[in-house]
């Protein structure tokens, strides 16, 4: 969502850019905040697509969907993708997002264990959910959304908070090849057909870390969304600014606007900061109307 939001802002500026987008998932960008509604059967998958493939083609954007970037060569300014190709860049945007933190629980490799993260995850989970199916959801705030969707499909659902001080903690997932039960640290067993991991999200930083960029909890950026390499920027859930991850404020729209302004004016010495963009949005009539 964040990477394409920046591309949309670049297009609005009317300048010509040679843009290639790599996407680990084999889909055009979609609204991840609506995945719980897809699981609940309240929305169709097509309805959460933000830009279809025709939009990319119309704007001359090369899309490498289902192909992830595995290495950044900062010296030669190129990235190696999972298909073995090298693609050069002048400016690189990291929009690798975030993923649920996988808890230290044994047996998570069994069939019937799902991670609540991507569109494909939700599609497979929806296919497995049915009336009478017993589901254990592990997680924090997202667990409630996952549980709601499963209940809408008729599942019997129990939520176990991950990392809480409660004695109700899962030690392992039991079963031969498929989930049959969960074993709590207390020694109690609880029958289950599905286990869903819906824990809090952590920034995806492995690519940046392996490239030698400054990484703390997220990829560290300044108020211009610039990483420790002036040719590389980061935006969205993978980034961290002033010790805070970008999972709430500023919004994707504000980040995208600031980064696009900087990329469009790379020959200038002055940059647009996040503070500047936030101030502009705060005083705009559109902002007040939205609130």
């Amino acid at each position: 969502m964040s990477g394409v939001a920046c591309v949309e802002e670049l297009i609005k500026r009317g300048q010509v850019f040679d843009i290639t987008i790599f996407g680990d998932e084999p889909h055009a960008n979609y609204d991840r905040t609506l995945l719980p509604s897809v699981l609940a059967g309240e929305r169709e998958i097509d309805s959460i697509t933000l830009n279809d493939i025709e939009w990319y083609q119309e704007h001359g954007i090369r899309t490498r969907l289902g192909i992830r970037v595995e290495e950044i060569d900062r010296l030669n300014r190129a990235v190696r993708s999972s298909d073995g190709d090298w693609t050069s860049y002048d400016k690189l945007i990291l929009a690798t997002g975030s993923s649920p933190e996988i808890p230290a629980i044994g047996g998570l490799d069994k069939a019937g264990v799902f991670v609540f993260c991507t569109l494909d995850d939700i599609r497979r989970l929806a296919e497995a959910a049915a009336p009478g199916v017993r589901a254990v959801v592990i997680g924090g705030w997202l667990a409630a959304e996952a549980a709601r969707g499963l209940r809408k499909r008729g599942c019997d659902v129990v939520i176990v908070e991950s990392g809480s001080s409660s004695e109700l903690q899962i030690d392992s997932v039991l079963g031969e090849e498929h989930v049959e039960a969960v074993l709590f640290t207390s020694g109690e067993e609880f029958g289950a057909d599905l286990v869903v991991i819906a824990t809090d999200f952590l920034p995806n930083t492995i690519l940046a870390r392996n490239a030698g960029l400054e990484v703390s909890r997220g990829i560290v950026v300044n108020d211009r969304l610039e990483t420790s390499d002036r040719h590389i920027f980061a935006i969205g859930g993978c980034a961290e600014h002033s010790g805070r991850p970008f999972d709430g404020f500023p919004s994707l729209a504000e980040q995208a606007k600031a980064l696009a302004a900087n990329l469009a004016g790379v020959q200038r010495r002055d940059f647009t900061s996040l503070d500047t963009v936030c101030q502009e949005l705060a005083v705009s009539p559109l902002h007040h109307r939205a609130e």
Side-chain angles (χ1 to χ4, degrees), residues 183-244:
L183 175 65
F184 290 97
T185 53
S186 63
E188 179 184 0
E189 290 187 17
F190 188 83
D193 304 300
L194 302 177
V195 171
V196 182
I197 299 171
T199 49
D200 292 341
F201 283 75
L202 292 177
N204 294 323
T205 61
I206 293 177
L207 183 63
R209 191 183 300 274
N210 290 344
L213 297 176
E214 183 181 356
V215 173
S216 181
R217 180 178 173 84
I219 304 170
V220 177
V221 297
N222 58 24
D223 64 357
R224 299 169 295 192
L225 286 306
E226 195 177 63
T227 69
S228 53
D229 184 322
R230 64 187 180 90
H231 300 289
I232 303 177
F233 299 77
I235 188 172
C238 67
E240 174 185 323
H241 179 263
S242 298
R244 297 171 55 195

Side-chain angles (χ1 to χ4, degrees), residues 14 31 67 112 146 213 245 255 289:
D31 190 337
I67 299 175
L213 297 176
Q255 295 176 50
R289 187 161 60 249

Side-chain angles (χ1 to χ4, degrees), residues 36 39 100-101 114-117 122 125 135-152 156-163 170 195-201:
L39 177 60
E101 182 178 8
F114 297 86
V115 178
F116 196 94
C117 184
I122 302 310
L125 182 55
V136 173
V137 181
I138 305 169
W141 63 270
L142 188 58
E145 287 294 307
R148 184 183 71 84
L150 290 169
R151 288 192 180 106
K152 291 274 285 188
D156 297 325
V157 185
V158 171
I159 297 177
V160 179
E161 292 187 21
S162 177
I170 295 177
V195 171
V196 182
I197 299 171
T199 49
D200 292 341
F201 283 75

